[in-house]
Amino acid sequence: MIGSTHITSAFDRDLEAIQALIMKMGGMVEEAIGNAITALAEGDADLARGTRRGDKAIDALELRVNEEAARLIALRQPIATDLRTVLTVFRISAALERIGDYAKNIAKRSEIIQELHPVDGGTASLKRMSKSVQVMLKDVLDAYIQRDADLALDVRARDEEVDQMYNALFREYLTHMMEDPRNITACMHLHFLAKNIERMGDLVTGIAEQVIYLVTGELPDEDRVKADTTSTLGGGTAG
């Protein structure tokens, strides 16, 4: 009994350390989203470059999380709920790394957009959309730490709002392109950024589903309704 308690205590300590890394990684990703959009809206090339460089630290932290989680499995050999908890760590860290990649892409493309014909109000809606995703990310990380399935379900439902904002932006950019051909290149780039933010929302939603699985042992029954009804204009991928 004493030995079992000792092993459980050691597992809990190791898991807490890994979860602290996840929260640190989440904070860095949240900051990267904000910085990338600020760089775009304000034409801040230095901030854009700093955001791109910062992605390396996010990648390094994902590697560290995965190494620590793998070590925990090897040393503690968790089963049942404990194993589910560790496996969730891998999935959350992977999603956070991908969100960081999308933030890097936004920062990269923001430097290109500054050289193009300006589009009236082209970035204001993007900023609102990205703020919604930032709040979703903060809430889903809180849900993870607190093991709050209800909050995770709420975050999952909010992705529909992000999809609706994306649809509205898609129509807005099409209108700008039809009104003035000089807007076409800039709007194509802005659409790419909107699609990146929409995909960030999808990844946050995936984290929410992992939290629900962690707490309940089951993924949500119903398929999530996707409100993205647009055709694509070449949304691109993270990288």
Side-chain angles (χ1 to χ4, degrees):
M1 178 66 71
I2 294 175
S4 176
T5 302
H6 176 74
I7 291 172
T8 300
S9 177
F11 174 84
D12 289 343
R13 284 198 306 271
D14 290 346
L15 181 61
E16 285 177 8
I18 294 170
Q19 290 184 152
L21 293 176
I22 286 283
M23 296 305 290
K24 180 179 179 181
M25 188 178 178
M28 292 167 65
V29 171
E30 193 178 333
E31 182 180 21
I33 297 171
N35 287 346
I37 292 296
T38 298
L40 172 67
E42 299 180 3
D44 190 332
D46 289 337
L47 184 58
R49 285 191 289 269
T51 303
R52 291 168 61 186
R53 288 194 299 269
D55 186 62
K56 293 181 180 179
I58 294 172
D59 292 346
L61 198 50
E62 184 208 13
L63 180 61
R64 184 178 172 192
V65 167
N66 290 345
E67 288 174 344
E68 292 296 323
R71 185 182 67 84
L72 181 59
I73 290 174
L75 290 178
R76 310 301 178 195
Q77 298 181 343
I79 59 174
T81 301
D82 287 343
L83 180 60
R84 186 167 75 229
T85 301
V86 180
L87 293 177
T88 299
V89 165
F90 286 107
R91 294 168 184 145
I92 292 176
S93 66
L96 289 173
E97 190 275 333
R98 293 295 288 170
I99 297 170
D101 281 346
Y102 283 124
K104 179 184 69 175
N105 282 353
I106 292 171
K108 186 187 302 182
R109 198 159 293 229
S110 70
E111 298 179 67
I112 299 171
I113 290 173
Q114 302 310 318
E115 306 298 323
L116 301 174
H117 184 268
V119 177
D120 291 339
T123 61
S125 296
L126 280 175
K127 198 168 185 178
R128 287 193 296 271
M129 187 178 173
S130 68
K131 183 62 178 177
S132 294
V133 172
Q134 274 184 288
V135 174
M136 286 171 63
L137 178 57
K138 177 184 180 300
D139 287 348
V140 83
L141 291 171
D142 287 344
Y144 170 63
I145 289 297
Q146 298 165 13
R147 302 296 192 263
D148 189 336
D150 289 336
L151 180 55
L153 280 167
D154 178 67
V155 170
R156 184 176 185 263
R158 273 185 263 163
D159 186 54
E160 185 174 356
E161 298 174 13
V162 175
D163 290 343
Q164 290 170 347
M165 283 187 270
Y166 169 72
N167 293 338
L169 278 170
F170 179 85
R171 293 190 294 270
E172 179 182 330
Y173 295 146
L174 280 180
T175 300
H176 282 304
M177 286 189 282
M178 289 187 290
E179 289 177 346
D180 188 343
R182 292 177 300 173
N183 291 329
I184 291 175
T185 302
C187 283
M188 291 289 286
H189 284 289
L190 290 169
H191 172 263
F192 178 94
L193 301 187
K195 190 63 180 175
N196 277 194
I197 297 170
E198 187 267 338
R199 286 174 173 168
M200 287 181 185
D202 287 344
L203 286 162
V204 173
T205 301
I207 295 174
E209 291 173 348
Q210 287 302 315
V211 172
I212 294 164
Y213 172 70
L214 174 61
V215 176
T216 68
E218 297 179 355
L219 288 168
D221 290 336
E222 72 282 1
D223 290 334
R224 179 169 52 95
V225 175
K226 283 295 293 174
D228 173 9
T229 58
T230 67
S231 59
T232 62
L233 280 176
T237 58

